[in-house]
Short mmCIF file of all heavy atoms in Angstrom, two decimals:
data_model
loop_
_atom_site.label_atom_id
_atom_site.label_comp_id
_atom_site.label_asym_id
_atom_site.label_seq_id
_atom_site.Cartn_x
_atom_site.Cartn_y
_atom_site.Cartn_z
N VAL A 1 -31.54 18.01 -178.35
CA VAL A 1 -31.99 19.11 -177.48
C VAL A 1 -33.18 18.72 -176.70
O VAL A 1 -34.17 18.17 -177.27
CB VAL A 1 -32.34 20.36 -178.34
CG1 VAL A 1 -32.87 21.53 -177.49
CG2 VAL A 1 -31.13 20.85 -179.13
N LYS A 2 -33.13 18.98 -175.39
CA LYS A 2 -34.27 18.55 -174.51
C LYS A 2 -35.56 19.32 -174.94
O LYS A 2 -35.54 20.59 -174.87
CB LYS A 2 -33.88 18.84 -173.04
CG LYS A 2 -34.97 18.40 -172.08
CD LYS A 2 -34.55 18.70 -170.66
CE LYS A 2 -35.61 18.28 -169.66
NZ LYS A 2 -35.24 18.54 -168.27
N PRO A 3 -36.55 18.62 -175.27
CA PRO A 3 -37.87 19.32 -175.64
C PRO A 3 -38.59 19.85 -174.47
O PRO A 3 -38.45 19.32 -173.33
CB PRO A 3 -38.62 18.23 -176.39
CG PRO A 3 -38.17 17.01 -175.69
CD PRO A 3 -36.76 17.15 -175.30
N ALA A 4 -39.41 20.80 -174.68
CA ALA A 4 -40.28 21.38 -173.70
C ALA A 4 -41.72 20.72 -173.84
O ALA A 4 -42.10 20.31 -174.95
CB ALA A 4 -40.45 22.88 -173.78
N PRO A 5 -42.51 20.54 -172.77
CA PRO A 5 -43.79 19.88 -172.89
C PRO A 5 -44.80 20.74 -173.73
O PRO A 5 -44.71 22.02 -173.77
CB PRO A 5 -44.28 19.86 -171.40
CG PRO A 5 -43.45 20.87 -170.68
CD PRO A 5 -42.15 20.90 -171.37
N LEU A 6 -45.57 20.05 -174.46
CA LEU A 6 -46.49 20.75 -175.39
C LEU A 6 -47.40 21.74 -174.67
O LEU A 6 -47.78 22.84 -175.19
CB LEU A 6 -47.34 19.72 -176.10
CG LEU A 6 -48.36 20.27 -177.08
CD1 LEU A 6 -47.68 21.09 -178.25
CD2 LEU A 6 -49.23 19.12 -177.70
N ARG A 7 -47.79 21.42 -173.41
CA ARG A 7 -48.67 22.29 -172.62
C ARG A 7 -48.02 23.63 -172.36
O ARG A 7 -48.73 24.63 -172.26
CB ARG A 7 -49.11 21.64 -171.34
CG ARG A 7 -47.99 21.34 -170.33
CD ARG A 7 -48.53 20.72 -169.02
NE ARG A 7 -47.47 20.56 -168.04
CZ ARG A 7 -46.72 19.48 -168.03
NH1 ARG A 7 -46.88 18.51 -168.96
NH2 ARG A 7 -45.76 19.31 -167.04
N LEU A 8 -46.71 23.65 -172.27
CA LEU A 8 -46.01 24.93 -172.05
C LEU A 8 -46.01 25.76 -173.31
O LEU A 8 -46.26 26.97 -173.22
CB LEU A 8 -44.55 24.61 -171.66
CG LEU A 8 -43.66 25.89 -171.38
CD1 LEU A 8 -44.34 26.69 -170.20
CD2 LEU A 8 -42.20 25.50 -171.07
N TYR A 9 -45.94 25.14 -174.47
CA TYR A 9 -46.10 25.88 -175.67
C TYR A 9 -47.50 26.40 -175.91
O TYR A 9 -47.67 27.58 -176.30
CB TYR A 9 -45.76 24.98 -176.90
CG TYR A 9 -44.25 24.77 -177.21
CD1 TYR A 9 -43.64 23.56 -176.90
CD2 TYR A 9 -43.50 25.78 -177.78
CE1 TYR A 9 -42.28 23.38 -177.15
CE2 TYR A 9 -42.21 25.57 -178.08
CZ TYR A 9 -41.58 24.38 -177.73
OH TYR A 9 -40.28 24.21 -177.98
N ILE A 10 -48.51 25.60 -175.52
CA ILE A 10 -49.88 25.99 -175.69
C ILE A 10 -50.18 27.18 -174.73
O ILE A 10 -50.83 28.16 -175.05
CB ILE A 10 -50.80 24.84 -175.42
CG1 ILE A 10 -50.57 23.84 -176.61
CG2 ILE A 10 -52.24 25.28 -175.47
CD1 ILE A 10 -51.41 22.52 -176.50
N THR A 11 -49.77 26.95 -173.43
CA THR A 11 -50.03 27.98 -172.45
C THR A 11 -49.38 29.31 -172.90
O THR A 11 -49.96 30.39 -172.83
CB THR A 11 -49.52 27.61 -171.07
OG1 THR A 11 -50.14 26.36 -170.67
CG2 THR A 11 -49.75 28.69 -170.02
N GLY A 12 -48.11 29.23 -173.20
CA GLY A 12 -47.41 30.46 -173.64
C GLY A 12 -47.91 31.07 -174.92
O GLY A 12 -48.10 32.28 -175.05
N GLY A 13 -48.26 30.20 -175.91
CA GLY A 13 -48.79 30.68 -177.18
C GLY A 13 -50.19 31.35 -177.01
O GLY A 13 -50.46 32.37 -177.60
N ALA A 14 -50.99 30.77 -176.05
CA ALA A 14 -52.29 31.34 -175.81
C ALA A 14 -52.19 32.65 -175.14
O ALA A 14 -52.93 33.60 -175.46
CB ALA A 14 -53.10 30.32 -174.91
N CYS A 15 -51.29 32.77 -174.13
CA CYS A 15 -51.10 34.04 -173.45
C CYS A 15 -50.63 35.10 -174.37
O CYS A 15 -51.19 36.19 -174.45
CB CYS A 15 -50.16 33.81 -172.23
SG CYS A 15 -49.91 35.31 -171.23
N CYS A 16 -49.49 34.82 -175.10
CA CYS A 16 -48.95 35.81 -175.99
C CYS A 16 -49.94 36.09 -177.11
O CYS A 16 -50.07 37.29 -177.60
CB CYS A 16 -47.67 35.26 -176.65
SG CYS A 16 -46.33 34.88 -175.45
N GLY A 17 -50.61 35.12 -177.66
CA GLY A 17 -51.59 35.28 -178.77
C GLY A 17 -52.76 36.14 -178.38
O GLY A 17 -53.27 36.88 -179.25
N LEU A 18 -53.26 35.95 -177.16
CA LEU A 18 -54.40 36.81 -176.74
C LEU A 18 -53.96 38.27 -176.73
O LEU A 18 -54.76 39.09 -177.24
CB LEU A 18 -54.77 36.35 -175.24
CG LEU A 18 -55.92 37.17 -174.60
CD1 LEU A 18 -57.22 37.07 -175.49
CD2 LEU A 18 -56.14 36.74 -173.19
N PHE A 19 -52.80 38.58 -176.10
CA PHE A 19 -52.39 39.97 -176.12
C PHE A 19 -52.09 40.50 -177.51
O PHE A 19 -52.46 41.60 -177.91
CB PHE A 19 -51.08 40.10 -175.27
CG PHE A 19 -51.35 39.99 -173.82
CD1 PHE A 19 -50.59 39.15 -173.04
CD2 PHE A 19 -52.34 40.75 -173.19
CE1 PHE A 19 -50.73 39.08 -171.57
CE2 PHE A 19 -52.57 40.62 -171.81
CZ PHE A 19 -51.80 39.82 -171.03
N LEU A 20 -51.49 39.62 -178.38
CA LEU A 20 -51.24 40.04 -179.75
C LEU A 20 -52.46 40.28 -180.55
O LEU A 20 -52.54 41.24 -181.28
CB LEU A 20 -50.37 38.99 -180.45
CG LEU A 20 -50.01 39.22 -181.91
CD1 LEU A 20 -49.14 40.50 -181.99
CD2 LEU A 20 -49.22 38.03 -182.47
N GLY A 21 -53.47 39.43 -180.29
CA GLY A 21 -54.81 39.61 -181.01
C GLY A 21 -55.47 40.92 -180.65
O GLY A 21 -55.95 41.66 -181.47
N ILE A 22 -55.53 41.20 -179.30
CA ILE A 22 -56.13 42.40 -178.83
C ILE A 22 -55.35 43.64 -179.24
O ILE A 22 -55.94 44.64 -179.71
CB ILE A 22 -56.23 42.39 -177.28
CG1 ILE A 22 -57.17 41.27 -176.85
CG2 ILE A 22 -56.77 43.72 -176.77
CD1 ILE A 22 -57.17 41.09 -175.37
N ALA A 23 -54.02 43.58 -179.18
CA ALA A 23 -53.20 44.70 -179.64
C ALA A 23 -53.42 44.95 -181.17
O ALA A 23 -53.51 46.08 -181.61
CB ALA A 23 -51.75 44.44 -179.39
N SER A 24 -53.54 43.88 -181.93
CA SER A 24 -53.66 44.02 -183.35
C SER A 24 -54.98 44.60 -183.80
O SER A 24 -55.10 45.40 -184.70
CB SER A 24 -53.44 42.65 -184.07
OG SER A 24 -52.08 42.18 -183.87
#
């Protein structure tokens, strides 16, 4: 399976995590 670049995971995780942290 073609992997995605690590920076995409970090960017996405940071964006989602920021909202999740504030919501929580």
Side-chain angles (χ1 to χ4, degrees):
V1 176
K2 184 179 179 181
L6 180 60
R7 65 178 181 276
L8 182 59
Y9 279 105
I10 294 177
T11 301
C15 184
C16 298
L18 176 62
F19 287 132
L20 180 61
I22 296 172
S24 297

